[in-house]
């Protein structure tokens, strides 16, 4: 981790004056938006994305697809300005598919979905496609995906790094077929191969060979979206062989997709209700979803809250007490920073398990959470696969974010109850939620969407 605090602005985290009471409309899901963009780009006919997330990660994906010759037209409904919807809620993107074009150069930023989902698609272009990104992107694992692409017939040049920068030399098509991959460092390796597989000559049969497979809900999301786009998918969840996914070659449908709210991005607002003993309503919370953020209903209830899911959405209330938790978060690792922040404010000890893979995310999230919470007077220790958090009275200080959006929102949660916390580079929330500071202030002022 690198400390850039001397060059980045500090944001005074607002202190809650009492129990929050607000309705917060959360922008669309990054995970759904970027998967839908890939599937639309590979479809046989044009498609629409309604209410896509407009953030750094999704704009990087859209720009990358444009550089490969895919048409993406953005339209904004005039009603969005009237209704006061957050950025992107009244927006639609029309995707005009086509054969991927090369040569091209793609900036992945530090977006895992862009650096992993696009190389298989680039292998379908005819010519070189170069991938590069932020300095941290060079440290994130790609070796398993690179090896799998080579086994499927792609030519990938990475100078033996198993990481960015790299160049995919597309031949206009990819054989596909059987491949083994160790996806224990990122479930995105599996999703990346499955998303483009309908366009491979033989489809694909992917076998995960590692011991563990993190973030399974994200693979289920990929499978669900592939099936809705017309792909034939055999998966462990549908009675198939454990750790094996098969996608048959075939045409994908151009669809009209309404993007769900990003349930993981709802986490800090639900946490605010929990730790202040208040109430927050998130409109449009889906009754059924593959998003990992849906697990917040159970996790935060276990930590002392209560929730109701009805036609208004999800209404979550704190009870005035916050309990520690012993939880396996292997399937919902991205929720760990926010849960850790709540746990630091709880009445009893928490143990968060199954998230060793977070050491390879936007930053080493386990080391960062330990360092930053402890710098405020906390008592957090790393375990082999997670964190042990013993609540202590916290004090003022600077909470560093390491260019990680979920570290920034975790710091904001702590700032609700701890005076004079300053968050380094709150703008890093623009990775998935550009409106976060404004939404946070509006929640605390009691404004409702």
């Amino acid at each position: 981790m690198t400390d850039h605090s001397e060059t980045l602005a500090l944001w005074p985290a607002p202190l809650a004056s009492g129990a929050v009471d607000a309705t917060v409309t959360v922008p669309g899901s990054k995970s759904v938006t970027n998967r839908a963009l890939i599937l639309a780009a590979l479809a046989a006919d044009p498609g629409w994305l309604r209410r896509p997330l407009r953030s750094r990660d999704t704009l990087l994906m859209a720009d990358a697809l444009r550089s490969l010759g895919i048409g993406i037209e953005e339209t904004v409904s005039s009603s969005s300005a009237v209704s006061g919807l957050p950025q992107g809620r009244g927006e639609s993107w029309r995707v005009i598919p086509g054969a991927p074009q090369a040569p091209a150069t793609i900036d992945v930023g530090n977006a895992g979905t862009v650096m992993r989902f696009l190389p298989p698609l680039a292998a379908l272009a005819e010519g070189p496609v170069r991938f590069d990104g932020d300095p941290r992107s060079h440290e994130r694992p790609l070796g398993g995906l690179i090896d799998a692409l080579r086994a499927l017939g792609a030519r990938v040049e990475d100078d033996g790094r198993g990481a960015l920068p790299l160049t995919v030399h597309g031949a206009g098509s990819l054989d596909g077929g059987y491949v083994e991959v160790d996806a224990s460092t990122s479930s995105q390796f599996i999703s990346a191969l499955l998303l483009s597989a309908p366009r491979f000559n033989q489809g694909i049969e992917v076998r995960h060979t590692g011991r563990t497979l993190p973030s399974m809900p994200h693979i289920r999301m990929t499978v669900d979206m592939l099936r809705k786009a017309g792909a034939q998918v055999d998966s462990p969840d549908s009675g198939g062989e454990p750790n094996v996914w098969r996608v048959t070659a075939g045409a994908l449908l151009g669809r009209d997709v309404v993007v769900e709210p990003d349930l993981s991005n709802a986490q800090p607002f639900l946490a605010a209700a929990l730790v202040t003993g208040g109430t927050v309503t998130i409109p449009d919370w889906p009754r059924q979803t593959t998003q990992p953020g849906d697990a917040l209903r159970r996790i935060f209830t276990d930590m002392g809250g209560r929730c109701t899911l009805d036609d208004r959405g999800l209404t979550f209330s704190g009870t005035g007490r916050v309990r520690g938790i012993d939880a396996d978060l292997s399937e919902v690792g991205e929720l760990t920073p926010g849960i850790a922040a709540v746990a630091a404010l709880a009445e009893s000890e928490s143990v968060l398990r199954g998230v060793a893979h977070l050491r390879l995310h936007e930053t080493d999230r386990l080391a960062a959470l330990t360092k930053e919470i402890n710098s405020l007077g906390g008592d957090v220790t790393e375990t082999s696969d997670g964190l042990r958090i013993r609540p202590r009275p916290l004090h003022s200080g600077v909470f560093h974010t390491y260019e990680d959006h979920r570290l920034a929102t975790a710091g904001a949660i702590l700032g609700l109850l701890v005076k004079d916390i300053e968050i380094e580079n709150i703008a890093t929330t623009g990775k998935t939620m550009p409106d976060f500071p404004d939404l946070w202030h509006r929640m605390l002022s009691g404004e409702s969407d």
Side-chain angles (χ1 to χ4, degrees):
M1 297 179 301
T2 303
D3 184 352
H4 300 295
S5 59
E6 68 278 3
T7 59
L8 295 173
L10 300 178
W11 183 71
L15 191 71
S17 59
V20 299
D21 184 4
T23 297
V24 181
T25 301
V26 177
S29 164
K30 177 197 75 173
S31 298
V32 173
T33 298
N34 275 355
R35 283 166 173 77
L37 281 170
I38 293 281
L39 293 172
L42 293 171
D45 303 295
W48 288 90
L49 273 69
R50 314 286 182 181
R51 298 180 175 180
L53 175 66
R54 186 180 179 85
S55 71
R56 188 187 185 211
D57 279 17
T58 59
L59 292 175
L60 284 167
M61 180 68 85
D63 287 344
L65 289 170
R66 288 188 182 105
S67 74
L68 292 167
I70 307 301
I72 300 177
E73 301 171 351
E74 303 178 31
T75 62
V76 180
S77 167
S78 59
S79 63
S80 64
V82 176
S83 65
L85 290 173
Q87 189 178 30
R89 293 293 282 175
E91 189 169 350
S92 296
W93 293 353
R94 184 169 185 255
V95 182
I96 300 142
Q101 303 296 308
T105 299
I106 289 173
D107 175 13
V108 309
N110 191 20
T113 51
V114 182
M115 71 179 73
R116 293 168 182 146
F117 290 1
L118 279 173
L121 186 149
L124 302 173
E126 193 162 356
V129 181
R130 178 173 170 78
F131 292 82
D132 204 351
D134 298 352
R136 171 62 180 172
S137 73
H138 295 182
E139 303 171 25
R140 300 184 69 181
L142 277 174
L145 178 62
I146 292 168
D147 291 344
L149 285 172
R150 287 174 177 151
L152 293 169
R155 182 181 158 213
V156 184
E157 181 184 344
D158 70 334
D159 293 332
R161 285 182 298 268
L164 293 173
L166 62 83
T167 301
V168 177
H169 296 272
S173 65
L174 193 65
D175 289 341
Y178 177 79
V179 68
E180 296 182 351
V181 60
D182 181 351
S184 55
T185 56
S186 176
S187 69
Q188 289 176 350
F189 294 173
I190 302 288
S191 287
L193 295 167
L194 299 182
L195 284 166
S196 292
R199 291 284 299 275
F200 299 167
N201 296 337
Q202 303 170 36
I204 204 168
E205 179 179 339
V206 182
R207 180 181 295 274
H208 165 62
T209 59
R211 291 181 61 188
T212 60
L213 185 55
S215 304
M216 273 295 296
H218 279 121
I219 298 179
R220 294 186 195 112
M221 176 187 293
T222 298
V223 169
D224 180 65
M225 293 182 69
L226 274 162
R227 287 175 175 150
K228 287 176 177 174
Q232 183 178 330
V233 186
D234 180 48
S235 70
D237 286 347
S238 59
E241 189 178 347
N243 290 325
V244 176
W245 292 261
R246 296 180 180 89
V247 179
T248 304
L252 293 172
L253 307 173
R255 299 180 59 236
D256 195 325
V257 177
V258 179
V259 178
E260 297 173 353
D262 193 313
L263 306 188
S264 295
N265 277 345
Q267 181 182 39
F269 306 101
L270 300 179
L274 179 56
V275 302
T276 68
T279 298
V280 167
T281 296
I282 309 291
D284 302 323
W285 193 286
R287 290 184 179 273
Q288 292 201 340
T289 180
T290 53
Q291 287 192 61
D294 193 46
L296 288 167
R297 293 192 288 151
R298 171 183 53 81
I299 293 168
F300 279 171
T301 297
D302 289 346
M303 296 188 82
R306 56 177 181 265
C307 67
T308 303
L309 183 59
D310 55 25
D311 291 341
R312 292 183 302 160
L314 181 72
T315 299
F316 188 88
S317 299
T319 58
R321 299 189 66 185
V322 181
R323 297 191 293 263
I325 192 173
D326 188 325
D328 180 349
L329 303 180
S330 56
E331 292 206 346
V332 293
E334 66 190 45
L335 304 179
T336 302
I339 294 168
V342 172
L345 302 171
E347 299 176 351
S348 55
E349 179 177 304
S350 292
V351 179
L352 310 182
R353 309 176 187 275
V355 287
H357 61 285
L358 294 188
R359 295 187 170 101
L360 301 170
H361 275 221
E362 280 82 346
T363 188
D364 179 340
R365 284 178 169 166
L366 300 185
L369 287 163
T370 300
K371 183 173 185 289
E372 297 310 313
I373 295 174
N374 287 351
S375 76
L376 303 176
D379 182 1
V380 182
T381 54
E382 284 192 59
T383 65
S384 62
D385 71 338
L387 300 171
R388 183 178 299 275
I389 303 169
R390 300 175 179 88
R392 297 284 187 271
L394 302 181
H395 55 68
S396 63
V398 174
F399 193 93
H400 303 101
T401 60
Y402 311 93
E403 300 179 4
D404 187 330
H405 55 131
R406 301 212 189 276
L407 265 291
T409 53
I413 294 167
L414 294 172
L416 292 170
L417 299 190
V418 183
K419 286 173 129 183
D420 298 326
I421 288 181
E422 294 182 297
I423 297 176
E424 168 216 40
N425 190 21
I426 195 66
T428 197
T429 55
K431 178 180 173 68
T432 59
M433 193 164 38
D435 297 324
F436 175 75
D438 180 57
L439 288 170
W440 199 246
H441 282 290
R442 290 174 64 188
M443 174 193 71
L444 289 169
S445 67
E447 292 182 41
S448 293
D449 297 318

